[in-house]
Amino acid sequence: MNECILVADDDREIVKAIAILLEKEGYRVVKAYDGMQALDALTQHSVQLVIMDVMMPNMDGLSAVMRIRETRNLPIIVLSAKSEDTDKVLGLSMGADDYVAKPYHPAELSARVKSHLRRYTSLGDIHTVNQDQLTNGRLSYHTGEKILYADGEAVRLTATETKIMELFMKYPGRIFPAEEIYERVWEEQNFASENTVMVHIRRIREKIELNPKEPEYLKVVWGIGYKMEKKER
């Protein structure tokens, strides 16, 4: 195991503690202490996952996340002392894949890192030329490439968003509770999964729907969950 993880936090003791935790797991760690340093580190190192604090000087973590998302789909875990749902939703809306509140539990952070790296690596490891497709209306998911196309154009999805769409494309018409989506995609149980799933669904809609406010594909089934509407081409 030699994946490289970028840890960005203006508290050097926290960066040091997380680095020790991750290095014990066999990961390589790149350190940054503000948003600008984090962006610079990404241009100099081959990084597979980012752990980003929210409140940092020069450039805050959420602004850095937005900049990263302009060009990269690697997993991003936001780390913040703020545990309010609004802050969590904001971080996810900016493009983060997950959110861990301070003070974090080392075992939880380690588990989140492993889960996201496993998903990212499996989606990025394209050694097959399998062109099997799952088609629903103007959407087409290539299972070999792990790429979603809308009207023939590739949609830029993060690894987490890709996993969610793969689930929906495999089972069009089936209703998935938010808890089940979270457990299937994040591969762990979570008792506060509704906001996390909701924000990711909203981000996907903005990328695949002609009118995200009146979605044709990703529908809410009130009181139950979400489903992919079956469409005819």
Side-chain angles (χ1 to χ4, degrees):
M1 182 187 298
N2 58 0
E3 290 97 336
C4 182
I5 299 174
L6 169 63
V7 180
D9 194 310
D10 61 333
D11 188 325
R12 291 176 179 262
E13 289 302 312
I14 289 178
V15 173
K16 181 180 178 181
I18 293 176
I20 291 172
L21 171 69
L22 296 176
E23 286 167 352
K24 283 183 178 178
E25 297 284 350
Y27 301 112
R28 292 182 294 116
V29 176
V30 174
K31 303 172 184 177
Y33 304 104
D34 62 48
M36 290 303 297
Q37 287 185 18
L39 295 179
D40 289 342
L42 282 171
T43 65
Q44 299 173 31
H45 302 273
S46 177
V47 173
Q48 282 73 52
L49 183 143
V50 175
I51 297 174
M52 182 82 70
D53 183 43
V54 172
M55 301 300 292
M56 293 189 294
N58 296 329
M59 177 185 288
D60 65 85
L62 297 183
S63 297
V65 168
M66 290 181 65
R67 289 281 296 276
I68 293 169
R69 278 288 174 254
E70 291 174 3
T71 58
R72 303 285 298 275
N73 74 335
L74 79 173
I76 302 174
I77 298 174
V78 170
L79 192 66
S80 173
K82 296 181 178 179
S83 58
E84 294 293 327
D85 277 350
T86 51
D87 296 307
K88 178 179 180 179
V89 169
L90 183 59
L92 296 170
S93 297
M94 297 296 186
D97 292 281
D98 211 346
Y99 185 103
V100 176
K102 297 178 185 177
Y104 66 91
H105 191 288
E108 178 191 6
L109 182 59
S110 179
R112 297 286 181 92
V113 167
K114 289 178 182 177
S115 174
H116 284 285
L117 280 175
R118 183 166 60 247
R119 183 161 59 254
Y120 178 69
T121 302
S122 66
L123 289 172
D125 189 14
I126 306 170
H127 295 301
T128 175
V129 294
N130 179 13
Q131 293 297 315
D132 288 347
Q133 296 183 29
L134 301 171
T135 302
N136 185 26
R138 57 186 188 82
L139 301 180
S140 177
Y141 181 71
H142 292 221
T143 58
E145 297 176 326
K146 302 290 186 183
I147 296 176
L148 180 75
Y149 293 85
D151 298 315
E153 296 289 330
V155 182
R156 288 184 58 180
L157 299 175
T158 67
T160 302
E161 292 165 355
T162 299
K163 192 78 171 177
I164 292 172
M165 283 304 296
E166 183 177 77
L167 178 64
F168 281 125
M169 291 294 287
K170 283 183 177 178
Y171 303 100
R174 177 177 168 182
I175 301 170
F176 289 95
E179 294 80 6
E180 183 179 354
I181 295 172
Y182 193 93
E183 289 176 10
R184 282 174 174 261
V185 173
W186 278 261
E187 299 178 14
E188 63 182 18
Q189 290 189 336
N190 190 291
F191 297 105
S193 56
E194 180 64 37
N195 274 339
T196 301
V197 172
M198 176 190 69
V199 175
H200 281 81
I201 294 291
R202 187 171 69 203
R203 276 171 30 195
I204 295 170
R205 281 175 174 160
E206 291 171 354
K207 297 178 181 182
I208 69 169
E209 302 282 3
L210 297 177
N211 181 358
K213 293 183 179 179
E214 296 182 8
E216 297 179 76
Y217 289 92
L218 291 185
K219 298 288 189 74
V220 173
V221 181
W222 295 108
I224 304 177
Y226 301 90
K227 73 171 182 176
M228 167 72 73
E229 194 76 47
K230 286 184 178 181
K231 294 286 183 181
E232 299 294 334
R233 184 70 187 187

